[in-house]
Amino acid sequence: MHFWGNVIGNQLVWFCAVAGAGRGQYWPAVLAATAYIVSQLLLSAHPSVELKLMAVAIVCGLLVDGVAGASGLVVYAAGTPAAWLAPVWILALWASFAMTLTVSFAALQRQWRLAALVGLLLAPLAYLSAARGFSSVAFATPAWRGIAVLGMGWSLALPALAACARRWQRPYQRSARLQSGEGR
């Protein structure tokens, strides 16, 4: 049940964020992300891991979406006055995404190449959907350049996040094996 709640909750945050941003509002993202993150922290066996991942994800968002915005290749609705600063609704999405790294995207922790591929190909599709369906993101012509910048950024950020998740969960996994008698 936690797996599906994790997946569906993250998708609901994405919908609230892009629909709100398309209308010039960032608060739907913040409200949805806050509710989702609190629910995931309450369900987590190790909330400290989730909180650290969330902090790193926000930094990744500041870098990836900040570079994309500063380049002029990607323009965010409900953005900030400074193009180089990722908007609040995007950072709410990054924070929410961090909650998936130990549950629905946990498989990426052991497969950095797959994490890079998911970042390169699937993350830009989410931005494209946000642009076409909600007008919350716009791409300078030709659009492929902005999409490529986001894909490259995500192809670096997602393996890094997955590696952090794996490293920070390792002590808890080791402890669980010892308690179950596997480590003896």
Side-chain angles (χ1 to χ4, degrees):
M1 182 66 179
H2 185 210
F3 177 88
W4 290 109
N6 185 262
V7 171
I8 294 167
N10 190 59
Q11 291 306 305
L12 288 172
V13 172
W14 181 86
F15 177 78
C16 290
V18 299
R23 290 182 169 82
Q25 301 170 334
Y26 67 87
W27 67 264
V30 173
L31 184 64
T34 301
Y36 173 69
I37 290 166
V38 167
S39 74
Q40 296 305 297
L41 289 173
L42 290 172
L43 293 171
S44 175
H46 310 290
S48 63
V49 171
E50 311 293 344
L51 289 169
K52 288 191 282 189
L53 286 169
M54 189 172 64
V56 174
I58 290 170
V59 170
C60 288
L62 286 167
L63 292 171
V64 171
D65 288 287
V67 166
S71 72
L73 299 173
V74 181
V75 178
Y76 301 96
T80 60
W84 55 267
L85 187 59
V88 171
W89 67 271
I90 285 283
L91 298 178
L93 285 172
W94 279 91
S96 296
F97 180 75
M99 300 295 113
T100 68
L101 295 167
T102 60
V103 183
S104 55
F105 276 109
L108 298 180
Q109 291 179 24
R110 298 196 183 285
Q111 301 176 358
W112 70 268
R113 286 183 184 100
L114 181 59
L117 189 62
V118 167
L120 181 67
L121 300 177
L122 296 184
L125 289 177
Y127 287 84
L128 215 56
S129 297
R132 294 200 174 147
F134 300 94
S135 301
S136 54
V137 178
F139 296 100
T141 307
W144 69 265
R145 295 182 322 173
I147 293 165
V149 166
L150 290 168
M152 297 283 283
W154 269 90
S155 73
L156 297 172
L158 189 49
L161 285 165
C164 288
R166 182 177 181 185
R167 179 184 174 118
W168 293 332
Q169 281 188 299
R170 192 174 296 144
Y172 299 112
Q173 292 167 342
R174 204 174 300 133
S175 174
R177 282 194 307 271
L178 287 174
Q179 288 176 356
S180 70
E182 290 178 32
R184 295 180 194 169

